[in-house]
Amino acid sequence: MNIKEKESVVPKKMIIPFVLVTSLFALWGFANAVTDPMVQAFKKVLELSNSQAAWVQMAFYGGYFCMALPAAMFMRKYSYKVGILIGLGLYAVGALLFYPAAITEQFWFFCLGLYVLTFGLAFLETAANPYALAMGSKKTATLRLNLAQAFNPVGLIAGLFVAQQFVLKNLKSDDIDNFSALDEASKILIKTSDLLVIRNPYVILGLVITGVFVLFVISKMPQSKDEGGMPSIGDTFASLTNNKKYVLGVLAQILYVGAQIMCWTYIYQYAEGIGVDSVTAGYYQMVAFILFTFGRAVGTYMLRFISSGKLLMIFALLAIAAVLGTMYLNDVYGLYCLVMISFFMSLMFPTIYGIALGDLTEEESKVGSAGLIMAIVGGALMPKLQGIIIDLGGNGVADTTILGISEVRFSFILPLLCFAYITWYGLRVKNKYELTNE
């Protein structure tokens, strides 16, 4: 990209609005990361099976699926600022619902909070990316978006740190080997205490989001919005469904997000299967997030020299190798492989996104991008299936063996199949589409 020396990536008059919008990338990364360990936390304190606890992810990523398209349609009619305010409002309400949920001690109430929270995230993700692109010259748009996206992994790491240091370390139920064997009175006391521990970071987060909401209200933001009327939805959908690269790309995105959430969520169950406690498992997940951040930088650099389809295929093949190590290597070596998968996953979301939208017109992309955000539903469906596999022998993680390995190890056949499809998709589009600086 050729940029004039005096041309700023972010114009001076846009710096404050850009900083505010950039904060959103970190805020939804935080929500994603702080929620993953909650599957294990709820499982223990509420005595749930693995598949029951997976409703946490069903609620969280299901919210994306339900709200992505309505959010995209809303954003085309109204300004980005209005969309962001609605997103922040829903985000705050969902987080604050954890307060009454902890009082009632009802699992469905916590899931409802997460569901509403991700309604807000769907609005934020739909608005923030094009808004960042619009805050300055088109010549610097890609650099501007990359700068904003760099803060998403920061939010991931911060969210995991909070979950580990302020939730997992303070759960009393996690210090008891056989929680279900306690008398009922002891269980009630521990359950009440632990649900308050789970509640606190979300309530604090809700208050922080409320503060960010106020900042957006009082700040003068450029009222950028899409020009022109909304095209016929029927015609747009017909065009999209006839575009094989797009349709196959949406499926690839569904499977990728599913694989990502499975590898991040069930790192705790995998660690449990080899005798590693949840707090220590959190450190492994922290390393996975760091590798994910590093891998995204490496992958972006490599895209300058290797076509997007080919590099996607290479990273997916390496991810398959890491999954096989996760399934068949013993003790901590399998856990090392599970952590390493994050490095190879890092490239996949933006690369699939770029490939799938590469041949679309601007108007098709507006609706098509909503389809790719809806593909985040893979993070709701696939972990649920993996939880069912882990529960085949009972509520533990190593109650039985399947093809010679414990059920928790065997369950990673699902990410394996996801990466196999992504490998095929990368091979199919190899040399047909060159991703530009994404």
Side-chain angles (χ1 to χ4, degrees):
M1 181 181 295
N2 295 320
I3 303 170
K4 295 178 181 179
E5 291 183 9
K6 294 183 179 180
E7 194 166 27
S8 300
V9 175
V10 182
K12 287 185 179 180
K13 65 179 181 179
M14 294 286 192
I15 288 177
I16 292 178
F18 181 75
V19 169
L20 287 173
V21 170
T22 297
S23 70
L24 302 177
F25 289 79
L27 287 174
W28 73 62
F30 184 97
N32 277 264
V34 80
T35 300
D36 286 341
M38 296 306 163
V39 175
Q40 182 74 348
F42 278 120
K43 175 192 170 186
K44 192 73 178 280
V45 69
L46 295 177
E47 299 181 85
L48 305 174
S49 68
N50 292 291
S51 59
Q52 288 173 329
W55 277 104
V56 169
Q57 301 293 36
M58 284 284 286
F60 192 90
Y61 293 98
Y64 274 105
F65 177 79
C66 294
M67 190 52 66
L69 188 57
M73 295 306 171
F74 180 93
M75 218 66 63
R76 297 181 59 229
K77 188 173 182 181
Y78 299 98
S79 71
Y80 291 129
K81 179 178 178 178
V82 174
I84 288 173
L85 288 174
I86 291 175
L88 288 171
L90 290 169
Y91 190 166
V93 168
L96 292 172
L97 281 175
F98 269 59
Y99 190 90
I103 294 175
T104 62
E105 299 186 352
Q106 296 296 314
F107 181 52
W108 68 265
F109 210 150
F110 287 102
C111 290
L112 175 63
L114 290 172
Y115 191 58
V116 173
L117 186 154
T118 48
F119 278 5
L121 297 188
F123 264 92
L124 294 181
E125 293 207 34
T126 302
N129 287 288
Y131 205 7
L133 288 171
M135 288 184 170
S137 169
K138 289 184 177 180
K139 294 181 180 179
T140 58
T142 299
L143 287 176
R144 197 161 44 251
L145 183 56
N146 284 340
L147 178 60
Q149 287 176 335
F151 287 85
N152 179 253
V154 174
L156 285 173
I157 293 171
L160 179 58
F161 177 81
V162 168
Q164 182 188 46
Q165 299 299 320
F166 298 99
V167 177
L168 297 179
K169 276 191 174 182
N170 294 321
L171 291 177
K172 294 181 179 179
S173 59
D174 202 43
D175 297 328
I176 301 170
D177 291 332
N178 192 359
F179 180 71
S180 59
L182 293 177
D183 61 87
E184 200 61 33
S186 298
K187 280 186 184 180
I188 291 173
L189 288 173
I190 293 174
K191 177 180 177 181
T192 300
S193 173
D194 281 1
L195 289 179
L196 292 179
V197 170
I198 292 172
R199 175 202 71 184
N200 291 340
Y202 284 94
V203 172
I204 294 171
L205 177 61
L207 296 174
V208 170
I209 298 301
T210 302
V212 176
F213 178 93
V214 172
L215 284 176
F216 269 92
V217 169
I218 64 177
S219 298
K220 187 176 181 180
M221 305 290 291
Q223 296 297 304
S224 176
K225 63 180 180 179
D226 293 328
E227 300 294 335
M230 186 183 299
S232 166
I233 293 300
D235 291 343
T236 302
F237 277 129
S239 177
L240 289 174
T241 53
N242 288 329
N243 188 316
K244 288 186 178 180
K245 188 163 67 173
Y246 173 76
V247 173
L248 296 174
V250 170
L251 179 55
Q253 202 72 294
I254 291 172
L255 295 178
Y256 161 71
V257 176
Q260 173 190 293
I261 303 308
M262 286 188 287
C263 291
W264 286 355
T265 298
Y266 289 108
I267 192 171
Y268 294 91
Q269 283 79 354
Y270 189 93
E272 180 185 345
I274 60 174
V276 175
D277 63 86
S278 294
V279 173
T280 304
Y283 288 117
Y284 280 99
Q285 190 175 26
M286 181 73 75
V287 174
F289 283 176
I290 292 171
L291 286 173
F292 184 80
T293 305
F294 180 62
R296 179 160 289 181
V298 172
T300 301
Y301 177 76
M302 293 178 69
L303 281 171
R304 297 180 179 182
F305 313 104
I306 304 175
S307 71
S308 55
K310 183 176 182 180
L311 192 59
L312 179 65
M313 179 186 70
I314 292 171
F315 270 52
L317 284 171
L318 292 171
I320 289 173
V323 173
L324 289 172
T326 300
M327 295 174 67
Y328 291 104
L329 291 183
N330 294 323
D331 301 324
V332 75
Y333 298 106
L335 186 55
Y336 290 161
C337 289
L338 178 53
V339 169
M340 196 62 201
I341 293 171
S342 290
F343 180 90
F344 303 122
M345 289 194 299
S346 60
L347 174 84
M348 295 181 184
F349 187 94
T351 305
I352 295 170
Y353 196 100
I355 291 172
L357 296 184
D359 295 336
L360 304 185
T361 66
E362 183 179 351
E363 291 186 343
E364 288 173 340
S365 293
K366 293 171 185 175
V367 179
S369 61
L372 289 165
I373 293 174
M374 291 174 70
I376 293 175
V377 74
L381 302 176
M382 302 301 288
K384 181 69 173 175
L385 292 175
Q386 189 171 10
I388 292 172
I389 292 175
I390 297 173
D391 282 339
L392 287 176
N395 288 349
V397 297
D399 300 310
T400 188
T401 59
I402 302 173
L403 299 181
I405 54 178
S406 64
E407 69 262 47
V408 70
R409 289 176 179 271
F410 180 80
S411 71
F412 282 89
I413 193 172
L414 293 179
L416 181 72
L417 294 174
C418 292
F419 292 132
Y421 175 85
I422 294 169
T423 300
W424 174 82
Y425 182 68
L427 178 63
R428 189 180 189 279
V429 302
K430 185 167 63 76
N431 299 325
K432 291 185 178 180
Y433 178 71
E434 195 71 27
L435 197 61
T436 59
N437 297 326
E438 293 292 330

Tab-separated table of all heavy atoms in Angstrom, residues 185-227:
chain	number	residue	atom	x	y	z
A	185	ALA	N	-26.142	-29.196	53.426
A	185	ALA	CA	-25.919	-27.880	54.025
A	185	ALA	C	-24.585	-27.288	53.577
A	185	ALA	O	-24.492	-26.101	53.236
A	185	ALA	CB	-25.959	-27.973	55.549
A	186	SER	N	-23.550	-28.113	53.535
A	186	SER	CA	-22.227	-27.645	53.091
A	186	SER	C	-22.260	-27.254	51.621
A	186	SER	O	-21.661	-26.264	51.207
A	186	SER	CB	-21.182	-28.740	53.323
A	186	SER	OG	-21.061	-29.042	54.695
A	187	LYS	N	-22.978	-28.057	50.829
A	187	LYS	CA	-23.094	-27.755	49.395
A	187	LYS	C	-23.747	-26.392	49.174
A	187	LYS	O	-23.302	-25.607	48.336
A	187	LYS	CB	-23.937	-28.827	48.695
A	187	LYS	CG	-23.209	-30.110	48.365
A	187	LYS	CD	-24.149	-30.991	47.562
A	187	LYS	CE	-23.523	-32.340	47.274
A	187	LYS	NZ	-24.444	-33.194	46.501
A	188	ILE	N	-24.817	-26.120	49.922
A	188	ILE	CA	-25.551	-24.853	49.746
A	188	ILE	C	-24.655	-23.663	50.062
A	188	ILE	O	-24.641	-22.665	49.329
A	188	ILE	CB	-26.811	-24.845	50.641
A	188	ILE	CG1	-27.828	-25.874	50.113
A	188	ILE	CG2	-27.437	-23.450	50.672
A	188	ILE	CD1	-29.033	-26.067	51.009
A	189	LEU	N	-23.882	-23.767	51.156
A	189	LEU	CA	-22.987	-22.671	51.533
A	189	LEU	C	-21.932	-22.421	50.462
A	189	LEU	O	-21.660	-21.280	50.077
A	189	LEU	CB	-22.323	-22.984	52.878
A	189	LEU	CG	-23.216	-22.905	54.113
A	189	LEU	CD1	-22.470	-23.401	55.346
A	189	LEU	CD2	-23.699	-21.478	54.323
A	190	ILE	N	-21.322	-23.511	49.979
A	190	ILE	CA	-20.269	-23.388	48.968
A	190	ILE	C	-20.856	-22.901	47.644
A	190	ILE	O	-20.270	-22.047	46.964
A	190	ILE	CB	-19.545	-24.741	48.783
A	190	ILE	CG1	-18.767	-25.094	50.063
A	190	ILE	CG2	-18.607	-24.689	47.584
A	190	ILE	CD1	-18.140	-26.470	50.035
A	191	LYS	N	-22.030	-23.429	47.300
A	191	LYS	CA	-22.682	-23.032	46.055
A	191	LYS	C	-22.989	-21.532	46.050
A	191	LYS	O	-22.692	-20.826	45.080
A	191	LYS	CB	-23.976	-23.835	45.893
A	191	LYS	CG	-24.800	-23.473	44.658
A	191	LYS	CD	-26.060	-24.334	44.620
A	191	LYS	CE	-26.954	-23.968	43.459
A	191	LYS	NZ	-28.206	-24.787	43.439
A	192	THR	N	-23.541	-21.031	47.161
A	192	THR	CA	-23.869	-19.604	47.259
A	192	THR	C	-22.611	-18.756	47.147
A	192	THR	O	-22.587	-17.747	46.422
A	192	THR	CB	-24.574	-19.314	48.596
A	192	THR	OG1	-25.778	-20.080	48.672
A	192	THR	CG2	-24.910	-17.832	48.715
A	193	SER	N	-21.559	-19.175	47.834
A	193	SER	CA	-20.293	-18.433	47.806
A	193	SER	C	-19.690	-18.415	46.408
A	193	SER	O	-19.257	-17.371	45.905
A	193	SER	CB	-19.305	-19.056	48.798
A	193	SER	OG	-18.032	-18.462	48.677
A	194	ASP	N	-19.681	-19.569	45.753
A	194	ASP	CA	-19.041	-19.670	44.436
A	194	ASP	C	-19.816	-18.918	43.363
A	194	ASP	O	-19.216	-18.327	42.450
A	194	ASP	CB	-18.889	-21.138	44.037
A	194	ASP	CG	-17.708	-21.807	44.732
A	194	ASP	OD1	-17.038	-21.121	45.532
A	194	ASP	OD2	-17.447	-22.997	44.472
A	195	LEU	N	-21.141	-18.920	43.432
A	195	LEU	CA	-21.922	-18.188	42.442
A	195	LEU	C	-21.726	-16.681	42.572
A	195	LEU	O	-21.774	-15.951	41.584
A	195	LEU	CB	-23.407	-18.543	42.559
A	195	LEU	CG	-23.781	-19.960	42.099
A	195	LEU	CD1	-25.265	-20.219	42.285
A	195	LEU	CD2	-23.384	-20.199	40.643
A	196	LEU	N	-21.467	-16.224	43.789
A	196	LEU	CA	-21.135	-14.810	43.972
A	196	LEU	C	-19.776	-14.494	43.357
A	196	LEU	O	-19.577	-13.417	42.776
A	196	LEU	CB	-21.129	-14.459	45.463
A	196	LEU	CG	-22.489	-14.493	46.170
A	196	LEU	CD1	-22.322	-14.159	47.652
A	196	LEU	CD2	-23.468	-13.537	45.522
A	197	VAL	N	-18.843	-15.438	43.460
A	197	VAL	CA	-17.521	-15.261	42.848
A	197	VAL	C	-17.647	-15.176	41.334
A	197	VAL	O	-17.007	-14.335	40.687
A	197	VAL	CB	-16.577	-16.427	43.250
A	197	VAL	CG1	-15.298	-16.392	42.423
A	197	VAL	CG2	-16.249	-16.360	44.728
A	198	ILE	N	-18.486	-16.033	40.757
A	198	ILE	CA	-18.717	-16.007	39.306
A	198	ILE	C	-19.426	-14.723	38.895
A	198	ILE	O	-19.128	-14.137	37.843
A	198	ILE	CB	-19.550	-17.238	38.882
A	198	ILE	CG1	-18.716	-18.522	39.063
A	198	ILE	CG2	-20.009	-17.110	37.427
A	198	ILE	CD1	-19.515	-19.795	38.857
A	199	ARG	N	-20.338	-14.257	39.744
A	199	ARG	CA	-21.125	-13.064	39.434
A	199	ARG	C	-20.273	-11.804	39.338
A	199	ARG	O	-20.478	-10.961	38.455
A	199	ARG	CB	-22.186	-12.876	40.525
A	199	ARG	CG	-23.018	-11.608	40.405
A	199	ARG	CD	-23.633	-11.213	41.733
A	199	ARG	NE	-22.619	-10.715	42.665
A	199	ARG	CZ	-22.881	-10.375	43.925
A	199	ARG	NH1	-24.100	-10.527	44.405
A	199	ARG	NH2	-21.917	-9.909	44.699
A	200	ASN	N	-19.348	-11.639	40.264
A	200	ASN	CA	-18.665	-10.353	40.457
A	200	ASN	C	-17.995	-9.774	39.206
A	200	ASN	O	-18.189	-8.593	38.895
A	200	ASN	CB	-17.664	-10.461	41.603
A	200	ASN	CG	-18.355	-10.606	42.950
A	200	ASN	OD1	-19.525	-10.260	43.085
A	200	ASN	ND2	-17.648	-11.126	43.943
A	201	PRO	N	-17.178	-10.554	38.454
A	201	PRO	CA	-16.528	-9.943	37.286
A	201	PRO	C	-17.521	-9.463	36.233
A	201	PRO	O	-17.271	-8.457	35.555
A	201	PRO	CB	-15.627	-11.060	36.743
A	201	PRO	CG	-16.149	-12.317	37.323
A	201	PRO	CD	-16.743	-11.948	38.645
A	202	TYR	N	-18.647	-10.158	36.088
A	202	TYR	CA	-19.643	-9.744	35.099
A	202	TYR	C	-20.353	-8.466	35.533
A	202	TYR	O	-20.620	-7.579	34.705
A	202	TYR	CB	-20.662	-10.870	34.870
A	202	TYR	CG	-20.118	-11.986	34.011
A	202	TYR	CD1	-19.536	-13.113	34.588
A	202	TYR	CD2	-20.157	-11.913	32.622
A	202	TYR	CE1	-19.024	-14.127	33.809
A	202	TYR	CE2	-19.652	-12.926	31.831
A	202	TYR	CZ	-19.078	-14.029	32.429
A	202	TYR	OH	-18.550	-15.036	31.650
A	203	VAL	N	-20.673	-8.366	36.825
A	203	VAL	CA	-21.326	-7.149	37.313
A	203	VAL	C	-20.384	-5.953	37.174
A	203	VAL	O	-20.788	-4.873	36.719
A	203	VAL	CB	-21.771	-7.325	38.777
A	203	VAL	CG1	-22.273	-5.994	39.350
A	203	VAL	CG2	-22.878	-8.372	38.869
A	204	ILE	N	-19.116	-6.137	37.536
A	204	ILE	CA	-18.135	-5.063	37.378
A	204	ILE	C	-17.997	-4.702	35.894
A	204	ILE	O	-17.941	-3.525	35.521
A	204	ILE	CB	-16.778	-5.470	37.973
A	204	ILE	CG1	-16.897	-5.620	39.493
A	204	ILE	CG2	-15.701	-4.440	37.626
A	204	ILE	CD1	-15.680	-6.211	40.156
A	205	LEU	N	-17.958	-5.736	35.038
A	205	LEU	CA	-17.881	-5.508	33.597
A	205	LEU	C	-19.087	-4.712	33.115
A	205	LEU	O	-18.953	-3.776	32.308
A	205	LEU	CB	-17.795	-6.847	32.860
A	205	LEU	CG	-17.766	-6.804	31.331
A	205	LEU	CD1	-16.551	-6.023	30.841
A	205	LEU	CD2	-17.765	-8.224	30.766
A	206	GLY	N	-20.277	-5.048	33.618
A	206	GLY	CA	-21.478	-4.325	33.233
A	206	GLY	C	-21.403	-2.859	33.604
A	206	GLY	O	-21.836	-1.980	32.833
A	207	LEU	N	-20.836	-2.558	34.761
A	207	LEU	CA	-20.680	-1.167	35.191
A	207	LEU	C	-19.659	-0.438	34.318
A	207	LEU	O	-19.853	0.732	33.961
A	207	LEU	CB	-20.256	-1.114	36.659
A	207	LEU	CG	-21.289	-1.665	37.661
A	207	LEU	CD1	-20.701	-1.685	39.072
A	207	LEU	CD2	-22.578	-0.842	37.627
A	208	VAL	N	-18.572	-1.141	33.964
A	208	VAL	CA	-17.568	-0.543	33.073
A	208	VAL	C	-18.183	-0.237	31.714
A	208	VAL	O	-17.969	0.847	31.144
A	208	VAL	CB	-16.350	-1.482	32.923
A	208	VAL	CG1	-15.413	-0.985	31.821
A	208	VAL	CG2	-15.594	-1.590	34.241
A	209	ILE	N	-18.954	-1.187	31.186
A	209	ILE	CA	-19.600	-0.984	29.883
A	209	ILE	C	-20.579	0.185	29.942
A	209	ILE	O	-20.707	0.958	28.981
A	209	ILE	CB	-20.333	-2.272	29.429
A	209	ILE	CG1	-19.333	-3.420	29.260
A	209	ILE	CG2	-21.075	-2.032	28.124
A	209	ILE	CD1	-18.248	-3.158	28.259
A	210	THR	N	-21.263	0.324	31.070
A	210	THR	CA	-22.157	1.472	31.244
A	210	THR	C	-21.378	2.779	31.148
A	210	THR	O	-21.833	3.751	30.525
A	210	THR	CB	-22.884	1.391	32.598
A	210	THR	OG1	-23.624	0.163	32.671
A	210	THR	CG2	-23.834	2.567	32.778
A	211	GLY	N	-20.180	2.796	31.748
A	211	GLY	CA	-19.319	3.980	31.644
A	211	GLY	C	-18.896	4.254	30.214
A	211	GLY	O	-18.884	5.411	29.769
A	212	VAL	N	-18.558	3.198	29.476
A	212	VAL	CA	-18.184	3.361	28.068
A	212	VAL	C	-19.373	3.875	27.266
A	212	VAL	O	-19.234	4.726	26.376
A	212	VAL	CB	-17.667	2.018	27.484
A	212	VAL	CG1	-17.364	2.155	25.996
A	212	VAL	CG2	-16.421	1.551	28.230
A	213	PHE	N	-20.558	3.373	27.592
A	213	PHE	CA	-21.794	3.836	26.945
A	213	PHE	C	-21.939	5.356	27.109
A	213	PHE	O	-22.234	6.083	26.144
A	213	PHE	CB	-22.996	3.108	27.553
A	213	PHE	CG	-24.335	3.529	26.997
A	213	PHE	CD1	-24.899	2.839	25.943
A	213	PHE	CD2	-25.031	4.607	27.535
A	213	PHE	CE1	-26.144	3.213	25.422
A	213	PHE	CE2	-26.262	4.988	27.029
A	213	PHE	CZ	-26.810	4.285	25.973
A	214	VAL	N	-21.720	5.837	28.328
A	214	VAL	CA	-21.832	7.280	28.603
A	214	VAL	C	-20.795	8.060	27.797
A	214	VAL	O	-21.092	9.130	27.244
A	214	VAL	CB	-21.671	7.555	30.110
A	214	VAL	CG1	-21.597	9.062	30.379
A	214	VAL	CG2	-22.826	6.935	30.896
A	215	LEU	N	-19.577	7.508	27.700
A	215	LEU	CA	-18.530	8.174	26.920
A	215	LEU	C	-18.944	8.335	25.463
A	215	LEU	O	-18.709	9.377	24.843
A	215	LEU	CB	-17.219	7.385	27.017
A	215	LEU	CG	-16.425	7.517	28.310
A	215	LEU	CD1	-15.202	6.591	28.281
A	215	LEU	CD2	-15.976	8.960	28.531
A	216	PHE	N	-19.550	7.291	24.907
A	216	PHE	CA	-20.013	7.374	23.513
A	216	PHE	C	-21.149	8.380	23.362
A	216	PHE	O	-21.242	9.080	22.353
A	216	PHE	CB	-20.461	5.992	23.016
A	216	PHE	CG	-19.368	5.199	22.366
A	216	PHE	CD1	-18.592	4.319	23.105
A	216	PHE	CD2	-19.100	5.332	21.014
A	216	PHE	CE1	-17.579	3.590	22.508
A	216	PHE	CE2	-18.088	4.604	20.412
A	216	PHE	CZ	-17.317	3.737	21.160
A	217	VAL	N	-22.029	8.460	24.362
A	217	VAL	CA	-23.156	9.393	24.297
A	217	VAL	C	-22.666	10.834	24.271
A	217	VAL	O	-23.140	11.661	23.477
A	217	VAL	CB	-24.117	9.178	25.489
A	217	VAL	CG1	-25.136	10.318	25.564
A	217	VAL	CG2	-24.843	7.850	25.357
A	218	ILE	N	-21.691	11.148	25.136
A	218	ILE	CA	-21.252	12.543	25.262
A	218	ILE	C	-20.176	12.921	24.253
A	218	ILE	O	-19.875	14.100	24.082
A	218	ILE	CB	-20.737	12.831	26.687
A	218	ILE	CG1	-19.476	11.993	26.996
A	218	ILE	CG2	-21.829	12.550	27.720
A	218	ILE	CD1	-18.867	12.285	28.350
A	219	SER	N	-19.601	11.925	23.583
A	219	SER	CA	-18.544	12.219	22.615
A	219	SER	C	-19.144	12.507	21.247
A	219	SER	O	-20.132	11.888	20.829
A	219	SER	CB	-17.569	11.036	22.500
A	219	SER	OG	-16.926	10.789	23.727
A	220	LYS	N	-18.547	13.461	20.566
A	220	LYS	CA	-18.973	13.789	19.214
A	220	LYS	C	-18.354	12.766	18.259
A	220	LYS	O	-17.141	12.726	18.060
A	220	LYS	CB	-18.534	15.201	18.835
A	220	LYS	CG	-19.085	15.661	17.504
A	220	LYS	CD	-18.702	17.099	17.218
A	220	LYS	CE	-19.277	17.559	15.878
A	220	LYS	NZ	-18.905	18.965	15.582
A	221	MET	N	-19.195	11.936	17.687
A	221	MET	CA	-18.734	10.877	16.803
A	221	MET	C	-19.175	11.184	15.374
A	221	MET	O	-20.274	11.697	15.152
A	221	MET	CB	-19.327	9.532	17.224
A	221	MET	CG	-19.064	9.146	18.666
A	221	MET	SD	-17.333	8.744	18.995
A	221	MET	CE	-17.174	7.205	18.086
A	222	PRO	N	-18.324	10.890	14.396
A	222	PRO	CA	-18.734	11.070	12.992
A	222	PRO	C	-19.927	10.177	12.690
A	222	PRO	O	-19.903	8.985	12.974
A	222	PRO	CB	-17.495	10.656	12.199
A	222	PRO	CG	-16.701	9.809	13.142
A	222	PRO	CD	-16.966	10.330	14.506
A	223	GLN	N	-20.977	10.775	12.149
A	223	GLN	CA	-22.219	10.035	11.923
A	223	GLN	C	-22.203	9.324	10.576
A	223	GLN	O	-23.084	9.519	9.744
A	223	GLN	CB	-23.409	10.980	12.020
A	223	GLN	CG	-23.598	11.590	13.390
A	223	GLN	CD	-23.892	10.543	14.445
A	223	GLN	OE1	-24.840	9.772	14.320
A	223	GLN	NE2	-23.075	10.492	15.488
A	224	SER	N	-21.164	8.545	10.359
A	224	SER	CA	-21.031	7.830	9.088
A	224	SER	C	-22.070	6.731	8.994
A	224	SER	O	-22.328	6.006	9.941
A	224	SER	CB	-19.623	7.222	8.978
A	224	SER	OG	-19.496	6.465	7.813
A	225	LYS	N	-22.663	6.599	7.852
A	225	LYS	CA	-23.588	5.492	7.610
A	225	LYS	C	-23.599	5.165	6.125
A	225	LYS	O	-23.154	5.947	5.295
A	225	LYS	CB	-25.001	5.820	8.097
A	225	LYS	CG	-25.660	6.993	7.390
A	225	LYS	CD	-27.055	7.219	7.975
A	225	LYS	CE	-27.747	8.379	7.306
A	225	LYS	NZ	-29.105	8.596	7.837
A	226	ASP	N	-24.095	4.021	5.815
A	226	ASP	CA	-24.093	3.581	4.419
A	226	ASP	C	-25.046	4.433	3.590
A	226	ASP	O	-26.126	4.823	4.041
A	226	ASP	CB	-24.522	2.110	4.323
A	226	ASP	CG	-23.505	1.205	4.961
A	226	ASP	OD1	-22.318	1.533	4.927
A	226	ASP	OD2	-23.926	0.152	5.494
A	227	GLU	N	-24.626	4.740	2.396
A	227	GLU	CA	-25.458	5.539	1.495
A	227	GLU	C	-26.347	4.627	0.648
A	227	GLU	O	-26.025	3.486	0.381
A	227	GLU	CB	-24.562	6.368	0.563
A	227	GLU	CG	-23.641	7.324	1.306
A	227	GLU	CD	-24.387	8.437	2.034
A	227	GLU	OE1	-25.510	8.748	1.593
A	227	GLU	OE2	-23.865	8.962	3.023
